[in-house]
């Protein structure tokens, strides 16, 4: 997977000509050039992505501050109120709890799990992937075999099994998602380190007498970490989805945590009479995941600025 | 060639064996007593002990594993606790449903995703392409259970076009297939786009164009010819993964397949059933992977299987 795709030769052509009068390259041609379009597309993806993500994340962060009813406050006289009735923006659920409040507080749990899982899987993936790529030999063999084995396992089933085994607590679910996701980071890091390893600066560092681990940590990893973190951002989107799927199947964090998947699976029974109980939480997930995915995509496609002396 | 197939078969069987063994150990480490879920909450201690003896659960773990290995080689994994029928038979009865769903989904995905990806690759980063691109991102961002419930509400409850659950008529296949395909189309079409854009920028395509090869041939014979292997691999891998049970979608639509079976088996701690499901699905997935690998030379004459294995 080449992350910095094909437009590199055209990138220089897209630079506005320094002496416009002397050049045959008009502004219209520049605007039509592949690289310009690419930059614009990346810009729009970043913008839309940022808006979608912030619309969801800011209220979630402020859930405690916003004037909302308590997420677990039941009011049986106000059961299944439609959205916008009695000041319930998202309506209420079958026990009269404010749906918006539940979605926001649930979002805190879902997001915490997602972020923790991604940090753990990113760390495992980068360390193991870099070690496999740099040291080669038996380290590479072991890591690659484990990667392959995990790919051939029925993933969701294994996750359900492990959750059944250790109980659906937040650390277990975080760990399970991290385990599901580290191969992607590891594979990418490994392939990038394989390329970096052959570059002159590594030989130079070796000749200077640096230890192999020092070369890897101080010189190689800083050169690949940026691209690896981009993948991690995309994994955050997947982690949120995976957590909601587990919750939906009943293997999510148990009560009193109302995570997104659980809210939807609770509302499923009332779908014919109270559409909002499933639709609205789902839309919040979609908005958030679309936002994160667009951000990741846009950052990846954005033409990288050349560093001085690079 | 034969040697290659044998080697791959050996590797595949080893993977299956390791998977099944891991599952054997994991489920026995798990809390929850299958005897309790079988005999019910009101059973006396003596009744529980009897149930355990009947299922061989009172024996040492190693002995249970030894019995399990013997069963594995005879292909009889014991009687399902909850179905009171041979576990393999229960799974085998469910398998065609999952196969049907997986096949329908992958066909729909291929038919839509490949042209869509090519369409996107031919006009990268134009406004229209950007719109479709954002749509595919949305497609891969929707939780599949939510998509399923939404489709269910829309096209089975509000507008009763299709049955809501089960597989009584062929109409029942439509909604689950569309649910699965939504995600897969998004993923595969983006992949086709990526492959095709890099092929469109490759020198061989410029050469072909300068020799006067027409646009359709450039797209489908030249660029697609070289994108075929990764695209085919992705489709095949997705298909193999679906055979392991499209768990969530099967649960949403009460589809009588392997995915909903495994959820039930895990809930009731039905050990033989869990093992039989894992064994059968893993075997099928390995077989599909092998078929994919064997098809490479058909897609790309440069591939020689024996050497591909060495590389």
């Amino acid at each position: 997977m080449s992350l910095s795709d094909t437009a590199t030769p055209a990138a220089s052509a897209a630079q506005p000509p320094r002496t416009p009068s002397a050049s045959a390259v008009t502004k219209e041609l520049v605007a039509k050039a592949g690289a310009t379009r690419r930059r614009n597309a990346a810009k729009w993806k970043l913008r839309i992505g940022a808006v979608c993500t912030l619309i969801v994340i800011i209220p979630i962060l402020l859930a405690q501050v916003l004037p909302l009813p308590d997420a677990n406050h039941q009011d049986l006289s106000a059961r299944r109120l439609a959205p916008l009735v009695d000041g319930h923006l998202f309506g209420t659920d079958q026990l009269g709890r404010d749906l918006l409040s539940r979605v926001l507080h649930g979002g805190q749990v879902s997001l915490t799990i997602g972020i923790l899982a991604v940090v753990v899987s990113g760390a495992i993936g980068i360390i193991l992937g870099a070690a496999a790529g740099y040291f080669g030999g038996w380290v590479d063999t072991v890591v690659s075999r484990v990667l392959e084995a995990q790919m051939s396992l029925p993933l969701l089933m294994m996750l359900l099994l492990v959750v059944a085994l250790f109980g659906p607590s937040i650390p277990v679910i975080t760990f399970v998602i991290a385990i599901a996701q580290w191969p992607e980071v590891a594979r990418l890091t490994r392939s990038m380190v394989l390329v970096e390893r052959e570059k002159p600066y590594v030989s130079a560092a070796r000749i200077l007498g640096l230890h192999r681990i020092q070369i890897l940590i101080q010189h190689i990893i800083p050169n690949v970490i940026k691209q690896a973190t981009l993948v991690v951002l995309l994994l955050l989107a997947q982690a949120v989805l995976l957590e909601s799927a587990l919750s939906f199947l009943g293997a999510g964090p148990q009560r009193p945590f109302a995570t997104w998947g659980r809210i939807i699976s609770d509302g499923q029974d009332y779908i014919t009479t109270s559409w909002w109980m499933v639709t609205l939480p789902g839309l919040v997930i979609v908005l958030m995941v679309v936002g994160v995915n667009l951000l990741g995509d846009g950052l990846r496609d954005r033409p990288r600025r050349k560093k001085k002396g690079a | 060639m034969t040697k290659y197939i044998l080697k791959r078969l050996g590797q595949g069987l080893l993977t299956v064996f390791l998977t099944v063994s891991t599952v054997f150990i994991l489920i026995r480490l798990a809390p929850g007593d299958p005897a309790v879920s079988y005999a019910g909450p009101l059973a006396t201690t003596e009744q529980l002990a009897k149930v355990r003896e009947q299922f061989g659960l009172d024996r040492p773990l190693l002995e249970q594993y030894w019995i399990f290995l013997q069963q594995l080689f005879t292909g009889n994994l014991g009687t399902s606790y909850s179905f009171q029928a041979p576990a393999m038979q229960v799974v085998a009865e469910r398998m065609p449903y999952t196969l049907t769903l997986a096949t329908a989904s992958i066909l729909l995905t291929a038919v839509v995703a490949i042209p869509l990806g090519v369409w996107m690759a031919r006009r990268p980063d134009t406004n229209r392409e950007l719109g479709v691109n954002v749509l595919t991102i949305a497609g891969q961002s929707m939780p599949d259970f939510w998509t399923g419930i939404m489709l269910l509400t829309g096209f089975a409850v509000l507008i009763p076009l299709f049955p809501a659950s089960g597989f009584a008529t062929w109409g029942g296949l439509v909604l689950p297939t569309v649910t699965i395909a939504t995600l897969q189309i998004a993923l595969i079409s983006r992949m086709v786009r990526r492959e095709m854009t890099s092929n469109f920028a490759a020198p061989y395509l410029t050469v072909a164009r300068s020799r006067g090869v027409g646009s359709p041939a450039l797209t489908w014979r030249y660029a697609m010819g070289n994108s075929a292997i990764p695209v085919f691999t992705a489709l095949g891998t997705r298909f193999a993964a679906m055979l392991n049970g499209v768990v969530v979608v099967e649960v949403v639509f009460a589809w009588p397949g392997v995915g909903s079976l495994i959820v039930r088996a895990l809930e009731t701690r039905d050990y033989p059933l869990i093992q039989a499901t894992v064994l059968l699905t893993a075997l099928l997935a390995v077989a599909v992977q092998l078929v994919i690998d064997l098809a490479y030379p058909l897609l790309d004459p440069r591939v020689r299987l024996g050497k591909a294995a060495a590389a």
Side-chain angles (χ1 to χ4, degrees):
Chain A
M1 190 173 77
S2 72
L3 289 172
S4 66
D5 261 329
T6 49
T8 8
S12 51
Q15 300 281 323
R18 290 210 180 140
T19 49
S21 53
S23 171
V25 182
T26 59
K27 278 204 164 133
E28 291 80 62
L29 282 175
V30 171
K32 261 202 275 179
T36 317
R37 289 209 314 256
R38 201 174 155 76
R39 198 166 52 223
N40 284 338
K43 205 162 66 190
W44 276 105
K45 281 183 184 170
L46 280 175
R47 279 182 194 160
I48 305 173
V51 170
C52 293
T53 318
L54 290 178
I55 286 181
V56 180
I57 288 198
I58 290 180
I60 287 178
L61 291 178
L62 298 178
Q64 265 79 2
V65 189
L66 292 175
L68 286 170
D70 183 51
N72 291 316
H73 174 71
Q74 301 183 2
D75 180 1
L76 293 181
S77 64
R79 272 177 300 164
R80 291 171 27 209
L81 291 180
L84 298 175
V85 173
D86 285 350
H88 297 287
L89 197 58
F90 274 22
T92 57
D93 69 0
Q94 74 278 15
L95 295 172
R97 294 172 294 194
D98 183 65
L99 195 60
L100 178 62
S101 175
R102 278 174 72 70
V103 167
L104 293 186
H105 284 95
Q108 290 183 339
V109 182
S110 294
L111 265 188
T112 313
I113 293 179
I115 291 172
L116 281 178
V118 163
V119 168
V120 175
S121 68
I124 302 179
I126 289 175
I127 293 172
L128 288 184
Y134 186 65
F135 296 121
W138 64 268
V139 183
D140 191 21
T141 313
V142 171
V143 173
S144 300
R145 286 284 161 265
V146 174
L147 283 177
E148 268 173 36
Q150 190 169 336
M151 279 176 66
S152 55
L153 289 181
L155 184 68
L156 192 56
M157 217 209 82
M158 292 310 242
L159 300 188
L160 285 174
L161 206 66
V162 176
V163 173
L165 172 59
F166 295 101
S169 66
I170 290 184
V172 169
I173 290 163
T174 310
F175 176 75
V176 156
I177 296 176
I179 290 299
Q181 292 194 322
W182 77 275
E184 202 149 338
V185 190
R187 212 175 306 133
L188 181 72
T189 314
R190 176 178 173 271
S191 64
M192 287 192 300
V193 169
L194 278 177
V195 175
E196 290 294 318
R197 186 173 73 166
E198 306 303 329
K199 289 193 176 166
Y201 74 89
V202 177
S203 318
R206 204 177 296 140
I207 292 166
L208 283 173
L210 295 186
H211 192 267
R212 289 202 298 173
I213 294 182
Q214 205 179 356
I215 298 177
L216 184 60
I217 294 174
Q218 288 189 348
H219 297 277
I220 295 183
I221 290 188
N223 277 317
V224 300
I225 196 102
K226 210 170 155 193
Q227 292 204 36
T229 36
L230 278 185
V231 178
V232 168
L233 193 60
L234 294 177
L235 285 185
L236 175 63
Q238 282 178 27
V240 171
L241 287 182
L242 203 54
E243 188 276 326
S244 67
L246 281 175
S247 291
F248 177 76
L249 292 174
Q254 297 303 296
R255 291 181 173 80
F257 299 114
T259 59
W260 285 340
R262 172 173 295 282
I263 298 175
I264 292 180
S265 93
D266 281 351
Q268 196 188 358
D269 302 337
Y270 303 91
I271 182 73
T272 46
T273 50
S274 317
W275 55 271
W276 58 91
M277 282 167 59
V278 170
T279 315
L280 295 180
L283 279 178
V284 172
I285 301 184
V286 176
L287 202 60
M288 150 100 201
V289 177
V290 166
V292 173
N293 272 328
L294 277 174
L295 276 181
D297 239 39
L299 284 176
R300 194 189 58 195
D301 292 347
R302 196 177 54 169
R304 246 158 276 135
R305 270 177 237 110
K306 285 213 175 88
K307 278 186 210 152
K308 275 178 285 172
Chain B
M1 181 73 183
T2 326
K3 204 176 150 194
Y4 172 76
I5 296 179
L6 284 177
K7 192 179 157 196
R8 284 299 316 267
L9 263 180
Q11 281 176 349
L13 288 179
L14 187 67
T15 313
V16 172
F17 177 75
L18 288 178
T19 311
V20 176
S21 297
T22 315
V23 170
F24 178 90
I25 297 165
L26 274 178
I27 49 180
R28 275 165 180 79
L29 283 174
D33 190 342
V36 175
S37 48
Y38 176 77
L42 297 174
T44 60
T45 321
E46 289 81 41
Q47 280 171 323
L48 285 182
K50 206 171 167 193
V51 171
R52 282 195 198 103
E53 195 191 331
Q54 186 193 337
F55 294 148
L57 292 169
D58 52 344
R59 298 185 206 183
L61 206 57
L62 266 180
E63 199 183 325
Q64 285 187 41
Y65 186 60
W66 177 241
I67 295 173
F68 169 68
L69 286 185
Q70 287 171 334
Q71 289 175 334
L72 201 59
F73 283 98
T74 52
N76 164 29
L77 286 184
T79 310
S80 156
Y81 306 154
S82 48
F83 285 87
Q84 288 301 311
M88 289 298 266
Q89 193 187 321
V90 174
V91 182
E93 276 166 16
R94 297 289 197 107
M95 208 66 220
Y97 293 99
T98 295
L99 266 176
T100 313
L101 186 54
T103 313
S105 308
I106 210 72
L107 283 180
L108 181 61
T109 305
V111 168
V112 179
I114 295 176
L116 187 65
V118 170
W119 184 87
M120 291 201 288
R122 288 183 63 165
R123 47 185 77 58
D125 302 316
T126 55
N127 289 343
R128 274 181 300 167
E129 195 272 342
L130 190 62
V132 175
N133 204 314
V134 172
L135 276 185
T136 58
I137 289 184
Q140 70 184 41
S141 305
M142 293 193 284
D144 42 7
F145 57 91
W146 184 74
T147 322
I149 300 176
M150 288 293 109
L151 285 174
L152 197 80
T153 319
F155 298 103
V157 180
L158 296 180
I159 314 167
L161 278 179
F162 303 105
S165 64
F167 187 30
T169 57
W170 287 100
L173 188 61
V174 176
L175 293 180
T177 308
V178 173
T179 308
I180 300 173
T182 307
L183 172 67
Q184 307 295 344
I185 289 172
L187 293 171
I188 300 281
S189 65
R190 292 174 68 76
M191 192 219 161
V192 172
R193 177 196 192 269
R194 207 166 50 227
E195 288 294 330
M196 291 292 278
T197 358
S198 62
N199 275 322
F200 277 143
Y204 74 86
L205 214 88
T206 317
V207 173
R209 190 178 288 128
S210 63
R211 278 198 286 116
V213 178
S215 181
L218 276 180
T219 308
W220 295 104
R221 274 233 334 268
Y222 287 70
M224 198 34 144
N226 281 291
S227 309
I229 283 205
V231 171
F232 181 72
T233 311
L235 283 171
T237 317
R238 299 263 147 206
F239 182 68
M242 283 181 209
L243 295 183
N244 286 324
V246 247
V247 180
V248 175
V249 175
E250 286 190 7
V251 169
V252 170
F253 289 97
W255 188 258
V258 181
S260 47
L261 184 70
I262 193 80
V263 171
R264 181 170 163 186
L266 278 172
E267 273 165 8
T268 53
R269 312 260 166 230
D270 195 336
Y271 291 170
L273 195 55
I274 298 175
Q275 271 146 5
T277 319
V278 174
L279 178 66
L280 263 187
T281 53
L283 275 176
L284 257 179
V286 164
V288 170
Q289 285 287 353
L290 187 63
V291 171
I292 297 170
D293 284 359
L294 292 180
Y296 282 169
L298 299 178
L299 291 170
D300 188 343
R302 289 170 301 182
V303 176
R304 299 280 178 277
L305 283 179
K307 289 191 182 121

